[in-house]
Each structure stands twice: as C-alpha cells, then as structure tokens.
Amino acid sequence: MKNHTKVLILAAGKGKRMKSTKPKVLHELAGKSMIMHIIDKCISSGLKDIYIVLGEHKQQILNIIKNTKVKVISQKKQLGTADAINSAKKQLGEFNGRLLILYGDMPLIKEETIKKIINNTYNSFSLVGFLAENPKGYGRIIKKGNQILVIEEKNANKEIKKVNLCYSGILCGPNKEIFKSLSKIQKDKISGEYLFTNIFNNLSERKKLIKILTYSEDELIGINDKKQLSYAEELLQERIKLFHLKNGVTLLSPNSIYISSNVKIDKDVVIEPNVFLGNNVVIKANVRVKSNSYIEDTYINSFSEVGPTCRIRKNTQIGKNVKVGNFVEIKNSQIGNNTKINHLAYIGDTVIGTNTNIGAGTITCNYDGIKKNKTTIGDNVFIGSNCSLIAPIKIGNKSFIAAGSTVSNNVDKNGFSIARAKQQIIKNGRSKFLKV
Ligand code: UD1
Ligand code: CA
C-alpha cells in the first residue's frame, strides 16, 4: 500500500487573473482544456486513483471531464490551496500510501516527469521546482540550514525576490504526513488564505526529509493569465510540431502552422504555411495540405491534396487521391477515391462516389430553412460548373449535369440533366439595350 500513489489535482480556484467568465482550467491549449491535459498525463503515467478538487464552477468542469474516472471533491469556499487539499480529508485522510499533489493550471507537465517524481519519492517528500527565467509571481524555494521553505511572492523581501528557484506546486510524499502538517497551517496574514506552501515549515520542524527535484520550466509553468496561456500555447505548439517532424511529416514554415494536440499525421505528409489543423484531424501518408487551409474533425486518406484556402469540417471523410481545391468548403460529407472538387464549391451533408468531377461553383443546397438535407452523388459523375443541387437529391452513377443547372429532381444512372434558361441571340441587338 505504501508504494501506491493517489493524485490530487487542485482546480477550485476562481482564476480571476484570466479575466474571463470561463473557469481557468477550461481554457484550452492546442484544442484541449488545461484540466484534460493534466488528467490525460496522469492516466498515461499509469495513475489510477485521481481526485480533483472543484469549487464554484464544478458543474461546468464536470461536463468536460465526465468521461474520465476522476473522483471529485468539493471545496466549499476558495480559502486557499491548503484549504483545497484539506477538503479531501474525508476521502483521502486515512490513505496509507503516497499522495501526489498537482495544480490544475500546469498543463505542460510530461508523462515521464510524473513517473520520475513518483519513482524518486520513498519515505521522503519531493518538492518539485524549476529555475525560472522570470520568477515573478511564483513561490521561491529557500534553503536555511536543514530547513526548506517556500516563500510566496507577496511575502518575499527584496533578497528572496531575487531567487529564481521556484516552486511548481507539486509535492509528493507520504499522505498521512501531508494531512498531519496541513492541519497546522494558519491563515496567511497578507493574502488571508490558507497557503499550502506553508506546509514546508511544519515538515521541516518535524524533521521530515524533503528532496528538491528540479525539471524544466517549459513543463512546469503555471498559468494564471492570458499572457501565460499564450506563452504555454507557443511552447506546446513547438512540442507538437517537433513530434510530427520526428515522425517524418514535412512542415513548411512551421511557425505559421497550428496543430491541435490530438491530430494524427502519417509520414510523407506535407503541410504548407498558414494551415490550421483543429481537433480530430487524421491525415494519412503522402497527403499535401496546401496553404491557408482550415481543417477540423476530418479524415484525409493517402495521396490526396487539399487547398490552398479550403475549409473542411465536422465529420468529413476524404478518400484516396482526391483533389479539393481553392475556396472549397466541405462539411459532414464523404468524398470517394479519385474525386475532384477543384474550385469554389460548397459540399454539405453529401456522399460523393469515386472518380466524380464536381465543377467550379457547385453548391449543395442542403438547408431548407428548417433542417439539413442529404445529397448523394454516385461514381463517375460529371457535374458542370455553377450548378445548384437542391437537397434531398440523388445523382446517379455516370450521369451528367450541364453547367449552370439548378437541379431539384433526382437524376438516374447514365442520365443527362440540364436546367437553365435558354440562351437568346438577337442579331445586332446591342444597340437596343446599350444606348452608348
Ligand atoms: C501557487 C503556489 C506558488 C507556486 C505556483 C506555481 C500556493 C499558495 N502558491 O501560486 O508557490 O509557485 O502556484 O504555479 O500554493 N486552488 C484551489 N482552491 C483555492 C485556491 C486555489 O483549488 O482555494 C487551485 C487553483 O485552481 C489552481 C491551484 O490551486 O489550480 C493553484 O492556485 P493559484 O491561485 O493558481 O496559485 P498561484 O498564485 O499560481
Ligand atoms: Ca497558478
């Protein structure tokens, strides 16, 4: 039991410095909330008993974490980090193993670091710190003889403010001892809160062994405001892109590309500048995503080309060797192998077969003002330029729709359909209409 580790994540704080109505830990990095980043890291580190302390935004956060097996603890009033941990006394106080305390606003911590912290903690306490480039705002780790203390910025004098060894918010150690010391923490005079960092006084007084473990600032930064959030996003983007580059993906001008954390890209894919790949994008080998394309929730099969400047979204599957060209929007559709939609089209709620050509300016009119209707286009179909297909509609295999048609009835296999006003020619007619 002693070697068993439970995790407690604090996420009940108000997050005032974010200046947002959204709870702090629900702000997203690379398309995923901060709290899910940290929960996922705990899970992938093999931790099974994960507890989270939530406060006034409990319901909103529960909606996001509902598919995890995380156990929830309520902190009634946000009286500080020590009080947050104390709220877990009933559920955790008697546990006879190790407790790992994490803060919900440190989403960049890596799985291997969580494992290292746990493996380094035997009958001692591990206080996790980092050397900060700019330590402002963090608690500073101070060694006084055998004593180890953490002094909050608000309580720090000039000398202490110069220290750049900062506390990350992570402590790992024997659970019962943590709760024992916690009960001794008094309200801080300056902040009026019960500060968890005051635990180190008591642990030192009780001659407990505290080891300082340090890791990189890049994975231990705490996020309190939008500036830190955007800095963390930069760090995470760099990490995500490095991962894909190592896997054989070519990124042209990587700084201009945005990739969400759950995007999957095979080798030999080329992503051109200014591309946005949002959540749930899967790109198979040898695809080229050309500049300025915005893609979310989409599967693109191998050897296809999309863009430049296309938008593909909401549950779309693109087959092999498909061409989706400039100014094309595709939503909730399946596009068969070898099909071409090369220019200026809107394809929504549509299934298209293989080897079909969709002409420039084709629009699927999927919305009738009340509901979305389906378009089905077969294999080897030729749709001329500037056609409107009024859904629900079925266009059969090998059929042909003439350019400029507005089609509202189904077209059979091998059929031809033309639906446009007949052209009139008036000989020398210009002068009748244009008087100059
Ligand atoms: C905290 C540390 C500081 C450390 C820094 C690292 C304390 C007192 N200070 O400061 O030493 O350098 O993190 O990033 O711990 N929370 C609750 N209930 C509360 C208050 C806070 O659950 O009543 C949660 C917050 O949601 C947050 C975490 O505790 O996830 C830390 O609180 P925060 O206010 O962000 O602490 P910092 O000022 O950043
Ligand atoms: Ca913080």
Side-chain angles (χ1 to χ4, degrees):
M1 200 61 182
K2 269 201 157 165
N3 287 333
H4 185 66
T5 307
K6 295 192 177 189
V7 192
L8 184 62
I9 305 172
L10 306 192
K14 291 196 174 102
K16 267 192 191 158
R17 289 165 279 185
M18 274 291 182
K19 306 245 164 66
S20 167
T21 50
K22 187 150 115 173
K24 175 163 80 172
V25 296
L26 293 190
H27 285 272
E28 292 183 348
L29 290 173
K32 179 155 100 174
S33 63
M34 288 207 256
I35 197 68
M36 279 311 299
H37 274 288
I38 194 154
I39 290 174
D40 282 348
K41 288 287 148 55
C42 288
I43 293 170
S44 63
S45 308
L47 294 162
K48 293 197 172 63
D49 287 309
I50 306 170
Y51 294 77
I52 183 170
V53 183
L54 299 178
E56 59 180 277
H57 298 291
K58 185 173 160 183
Q59 200 47 50
Q60 261 170 289
I61 298 172
L62 280 178
N63 288 341
I64 300 295
I65 66 169
K66 61 176 182 268
N67 294 329
T68 66
K69 291 196 178 113
V70 172
K71 296 175 241 326
V72 174
I73 288 157
S74 294
Q75 184 190 16
K76 294 208 170 64
K77 274 189 187 160
Q78 275 70 73
L79 299 175
T81 41
D83 179 71
I85 299 167
N86 235 342
S87 321
K89 198 169 179 186
K90 218 168 109 196
Q91 288 93 328
L92 287 174
E94 294 308 309
F95 166 58
N96 202 15
R98 249 181 324 222
L99 185 65
L100 170 67
I101 294 166
L102 302 173
Y103 289 174
D105 63 357
M106 46 164 68
L108 298 187
I109 189 160
K110 291 180 182 166
E111 176 191 319
E112 65 248 34
T113 305
I114 294 181
K115 284 182 183 160
K116 275 186 207 159
I117 295 167
I118 294 168
N119 293 334
N120 270 307
T121 312
Y122 299 102
N123 295 324
S124 62
F125 293 84
S126 297
L127 183 170
V128 179
F130 59 93
L131 285 169
E133 209 165 290
N134 174 11
K136 198 166 180 245
Y138 290 113
R140 310 298 207 282
I141 301 174
I142 309 292
K143 285 175 257 180
K144 265 195 207 161
N146 287 335
Q147 254 196 336
I148 292 179
L149 300 174
V150 174
I151 314 280
E152 289 304 306
E153 169 97 16
K154 278 182 189 159
N155 299 341
N157 61 25
K158 255 190 180 169
E159 283 310 300
I160 289 173
K161 278 184 184 160
K162 281 185 199 152
V163 172
N164 61 354
L165 182 59
C166 295
Y167 178 49
S168 65
I170 303 174
L171 177 70
C172 186
N175 177 66
K176 282 190 168 175
E177 298 294 341
I178 292 179
F179 277 95
K180 201 167 170 187
S181 285
L182 207 60
S183 64
K184 302 286 186 297
I185 294 178
Q186 309 272 321
K187 199 186 244 182
D188 181 74
K189 289 196 183 81
I190 295 182
S191 62
E193 291 189 352
Y194 294 89
L195 306 179
F196 176 55
T197 38
N198 286 338
I199 196 172
F200 299 105
N201 294 322
N202 189 266
L203 289 175
S204 287
E205 268 168 29
R206 296 203 289 127
K207 309 233 168 346
K208 299 290 170 193
L209 179 62
I210 304 173
K211 281 194 290 184
I212 301 174
L213 307 178
T214 53
Y215 299 99
S216 153
E217 179 178 12
D218 287 358
E219 55 172 312
L220 294 177
I221 56 165
I223 293 164
N224 297 326
D225 58 29
K226 293 280 168 63
K227 190 174 166 208
Q228 287 165 327
L229 185 73
S230 83
Y231 178 60
E233 181 74 67
E234 246 174 66
L235 291 173
L236 188 54
Q237 282 301 311
E238 209 172 295
R239 207 188 275 178
I240 290 171
K241 280 177 249 180
L242 205 59
F243 169 81
H244 292 297
L245 289 167
K246 279 186 181 158
N247 284 345
V249 177
T250 301
L251 303 175
L252 305 183
S253 186
N255 285 341
S256 72
I257 298 169
Y258 183 95
I259 306 179
S260 281
S261 61
N262 71 356
V263 170
K264 294 193 176 80
I265 315 176
D266 272 3
K267 63 184 175 190
D268 291 321
V269 167
V270 179
I271 316 275
E272 293 187 5
N274 293 318
V275 166
F276 179 95
L277 301 177
N279 281 338
N280 308 320
V281 170
V282 178
I283 304 178
K284 304 304 281 182
N286 296 293
V287 164
R288 190 170 187 104
V289 181
K290 296 183 177 175
S291 290
N292 300 315
S293 296
Y294 193 103
I295 304 171
E296 298 164 288
D297 200 11
T298 291
Y299 178 96
I300 305 177
N301 213 335
S302 46
F303 293 99
S304 290
E305 269 184 31
V306 302
T309 318
C310 68
R311 181 172 185 212
I312 313 178
R313 60 189 176 99
K314 208 175 173 190
N315 188 30
T316 290
Q317 284 100 44
I318 305 236
K320 289 184 183 164
N321 196 33
V322 167
K323 298 254 183 319
V324 174
N326 39 228
F327 304 105
V328 172
E329 179 179 353
I330 305 179
K331 182 216 105 184
N332 190 31
S333 295
Q334 283 134 48
I335 315 296
N337 298 343
N338 306 312
T339 282
K340 294 186 178 65
I341 314 169
N342 271 331
H343 341 255
L344 299 148
Y346 171 63
I347 304 296
D349 306 300
T350 299
V351 177
I352 305 180
T354 57
N355 296 303
T356 281
N357 187 81
I358 307 288
T362 296
I363 306 288
T364 53
C365 308
N366 59 332
Y367 188 45
D368 56 16
I370 297 164
K371 61 183 191 309
K372 301 287 164 67
N373 299 300
K374 210 172 154 181
T375 299
T376 308
I377 302 171
D379 301 334
N380 300 294
V381 174
F382 184 90
I383 300 197
S385 294
N386 208 25
C387 287
S388 303
L389 309 174
I390 300 180
I393 193 162
K394 285 186 177 149
I395 312 290
N397 292 341
K398 285 191 175 175
S399 62
F400 188 120
I401 313 274
S405 294
T406 298
V407 183
S408 51
N409 294 318
N410 291 346
V411 178
D412 290 339
K413 188 176 170 189
N414 294 319
F416 172 78
S417 175
I418 182 164
R420 65 185 184 221
K422 233 185 174 152
Q423 186 178 5
Q424 286 184 49
I425 307 274
I426 301 171
K427 251 197 169 171
N428 297 319
R430 174 186 160 120
S431 58
K432 237 172 116 178
F433 297 97
L434 200 63
K435 301 287 180 206
V436 284

